[in-house]
């Protein structure tokens, strides 16, 4: 199994030595194209906590044709959700890496009520009851964008297969057409960014992921942010929420409580 290769490529142990404050779990919810990946990268740079994108992890397995990748590639290509137990296993593996000790951004997870319930107990047992964190309750941020704008964003998206940078031919083009600014790699269009698959992904979000937002809303955990602003303005709104609610360490010296 190519887990080690996947791990190396995704930088699982980078920044493990940073002595910075504990942020805890941050969940970014939102439909395809809302800007979860774009914002996760900025939060990562700001707090030095890793982005845990289930979409990126799954695509990496597909790229490397691991047994898991082979199993899920047709599901992703259709725009449907990968079965809960497979996604939860990947997330568990990723959150147990040492660079996740101060916190992490979950980009695209949880996406079903089962995943949300699984996450609650995982965080409780692995981070709270072990004494690492003062709370296991995530900060849940929903990025909201109008349906028609989502279509334009997704069809204009280009990504770098080397560094994962996200561009948009309309709103955030690279300096040289179709080439990554950071490393000169030719940009690609994601396989599931085809018109018929985009609609299926948007429908799947309505049916299966909207109830997750309602679940967190009932718990008083949900913050909704207008994603129809500049990338900088969306980032500023997200950082403000995180600064106000970060969970702190179990000793209480940094904790703000939840
Ligand atoms: P995943 O990779 O998570 O895709 P997604 O949820 O469909 O979201 P996207 O990555 O398309 O959008 P984004 O919100 O990250 O937007 P981005 O920042 O790129 O999942 C893919 C598949 O994997 C799923 O369909 C499923 O099969 C499987 N999967 C993943 N997680 C799973 C789970 N938990 N359970 C089961 N299956 C799972 O931005 C989009 C574009 O807009 C970019 O071009 C960007 O430059 C631009 N943009 C961003 N912000 C702005 C702004 N403020 N103004 C203008 N343009 C902007
Ligand atoms: Mg994404
Ligand atoms: Zn790149």
């Amino acid at each position: 199994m190519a887990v080690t290769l996947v791990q190396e490529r995704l930088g699982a142990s980078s920044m493990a030595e940073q002595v910075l404050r504990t942020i805890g779990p941050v969940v970014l919810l939102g439909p395809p194209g809302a800007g979860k990946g774009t914002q996760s990268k900025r939060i990562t740079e700001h707090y030095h906590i890793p982005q845990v994108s289930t979409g990126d992890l799954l695509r990496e397995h597909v790229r490397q044709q691991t047994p898991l990748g082979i199993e899920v590639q047709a599901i992703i290509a259709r725009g449907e959700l990968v079965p809960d137990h497979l996604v939860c296993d990947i997330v568990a593996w990723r959150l147990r890496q040492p660079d996740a000790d101060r916190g992490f951004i979950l980009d695209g997870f949880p996406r079903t009520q089962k995943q949300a319930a699984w996450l609650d107990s995982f965080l409780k047992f692995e981070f709270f009851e072990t004494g690492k964190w003062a709370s296991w309750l995530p900060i849940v941020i929903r990025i909201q964008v109008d349906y028609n704008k989502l279509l334009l964003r997704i069809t204009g998206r280009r990504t770098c297969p080397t560094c994962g940078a996200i561009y948009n031919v309309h709103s955030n083009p690279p300096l040289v057409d179709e080439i990554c600014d950071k490393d000169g790699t030719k940009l690609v269009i994601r396989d599931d960014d085809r018109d018929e698959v985009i609609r299926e992904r948007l429908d799947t979000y309505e049916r299966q992921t909207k109830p997750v937002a309602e679940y967190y809303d009932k718990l008083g955990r949900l913050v909704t942010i207008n994603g129809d602003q500049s990338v900088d303005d969306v980032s500023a709104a997200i950082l403000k929420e995180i600064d106000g609610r970060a969970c702190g360490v179990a000793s209480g010296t940094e904790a703000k409580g939840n």
Side-chain angles (χ1 to χ4, degrees):
M1 173 67 170
V3 162
T4 325
L5 274 175
V6 172
Q7 185 173 334
E8 270 171 17
R9 212 178 124 77
L10 293 162
S13 61
S14 61
M15 297 182 203
E17 310 303 333
Q18 295 261 16
V19 184
L20 296 163
R21 82 185 166 112
T22 297
I23 302 298
V26 178
V27 170
L28 285 193
L29 279 180
K36 302 182 296 292
T38 302
Q39 295 300 333
S40 295
K41 289 180 197 323
R42 290 173 156 232
I43 303 170
T44 288
E45 277 170 23
H46 188 85
Y47 296 108
H48 303 285
I49 56 174
Q51 171 192 14
V52 177
S53 158
T54 42
D56 287 350
L57 289 163
L58 290 165
R59 277 186 291 279
E60 187 57 19
H61 276 276
V62 172
R63 199 187 70 82
Q64 293 191 19
Q65 288 289 283
T66 66
L68 173 66
I70 292 166
E71 189 175 346
V72 302
Q73 74 186 81
I75 301 172
I76 297 174
R78 287 196 299 271
E80 296 165 8
L81 292 186
V82 169
D84 291 329
H85 68 281
L86 296 177
V87 182
C88 292
D89 281 354
I90 301 186
V91 172
W93 163 76
R94 184 62 186 85
L95 299 189
R96 287 180 179 136
Q97 306 304 316
D99 65 336
D101 273 1
R102 288 192 307 102
F104 38 79
I105 306 132
L106 287 165
D107 161 4
F109 182 93
R111 257 166 142 106
T112 64
Q113 284 177 313
K114 274 198 178 152
Q115 291 177 17
W118 175 89
L119 180 66
D120 278 350
S121 59
F122 184 85
L123 294 175
K124 187 170 176 214
F125 290 122
E126 303 237 355
F127 289 92
F128 178 67
E129 293 191 348
T130 55
K132 271 187 197 167
W133 292 352
S135 166
W136 71 91
L137 298 169
I139 303 168
V140 184
I141 296 171
R142 172 174 55 184
I143 307 176
Q144 247 175 359
V145 178
D146 177 73
Y147 186 92
N148 292 316
K149 291 201 171 132
L150 292 173
L151 289 178
L152 195 68
R153 283 192 188 184
I154 300 172
T155 50
R157 173 168 51 199
R158 302 288 183 274
T159 53
C160 173
T162 303
C163 71
I166 302 169
Y167 298 88
N168 192 287
V169 294
H170 312 293
S171 59
N172 177 30
L175 296 171
V176 179
D177 257 9
E178 306 295 333
I179 300 293
C180 179
D181 295 347
K182 296 177 187 163
D183 50 39
T185 308
K186 181 149 176 39
L187 302 178
V188 295
I189 299 178
R190 253 167 59 178
D191 282 346
D192 60 349
D193 279 354
R194 285 171 292 124
D195 216 31
E196 64 282 13
V197 186
I198 295 170
R199 279 168 213 281
E200 176 59 33
R201 284 162 55 204
L202 289 165
D203 284 354
T204 302
Y205 177 81
E206 291 291 318
R207 276 185 280 113
Q208 293 184 263
T209 309
K210 269 204 171 161
V212 174
E214 285 155 23
Y215 166 79
Y216 286 121
D217 198 17
K218 280 195 190 123
L219 293 176
R221 307 291 313 157
L222 185 72
V223 182
T224 299
I225 286 190
N226 174 15
D228 189 11
Q229 316 175 67
S230 71
V231 171
D232 283 348
D233 288 346
V234 178
S235 301
I238 292 176
L239 297 186
K240 195 172 155 206
E241 287 301 331
I242 297 175
D243 279 341
R245 299 167 70 146
C247 87
V249 292
S251 66
T253 48
E254 296 177 277
K256 294 196 175 173
N258 267 297

